[in-house]
């Protein structure tokens, strides 16, 4: 392992390609930042210190808003219908 510090810009962007109709994955620095944004938001909403104390609430809201926008790019009525019908069939 190379344990030197890196930035989000140093991380690669990858696409796994569709092995099935639902599991194609795109990973990028923005995706990774989104995971942190979600975690920090959950910490803040739970009343815990978030982001190791390095972000203000206003900064957290800006980062999380970007994450919401990225997530909305993969959301559509077609995607909801495809995923929702599969889940509904499993439940029923």
């Amino acid at each position: 392992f190379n344990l030197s510090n890196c930035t989000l810009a140093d991380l690669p962007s990858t696409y796994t390609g569709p092995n099935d109709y639902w599991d194609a994955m795109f990973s990028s620095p923005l995706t990774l930042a989104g995971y942190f944004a979600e975690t920090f938001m959950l910490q803040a909403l739970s009343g815990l210190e978030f982001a190791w104390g390095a972000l203000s609430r206003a900064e957290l809201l800006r980062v999380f808003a970007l994450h919401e926008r990225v997530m909305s790019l993969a959301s559509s009525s077609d995607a909801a219908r495809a995923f929702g019908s599969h889940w509904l069939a499993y439940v029923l």
Side-chain angles (χ1 to χ4, degrees):
F1 286 116
N2 181 0
L3 299 178
S4 64
N5 292 334
C6 67
T7 66
L8 286 175
D10 295 330
L11 300 174
S13 294
T14 58
Y15 178 69
T16 64
N19 297 323
D20 240 331
Y21 74 94
W22 72 83
D23 70 348
M25 296 295 290
F26 179 75
S27 179
S28 71
L30 200 52
T31 308
L32 183 61
Y35 294 137
F36 282 101
E38 278 185 313
T39 301
F40 296 159
M41 182 60 78
L42 289 171
Q43 290 171 340
L45 293 172
S46 297
L48 303 171
E49 178 186 58
F50 58 91
W52 302 281
L55 292 177
S56 68
R57 287 196 180 268
E59 291 169 324
L60 175 60
L61 291 174
R62 284 184 37 222
V63 171
F64 194 76
L66 176 61
H67 170 62
E68 284 180 314
R69 181 67 181 135
V70 169
M71 293 301 293
S72 74
L73 297 175
S75 300
S76 68
S77 59
D78 291 334
R81 190 177 303 112
F83 289 120
S85 62
H86 177 76
W87 291 334
L88 182 61
Y90 178 78
V91 170
L92 296 177

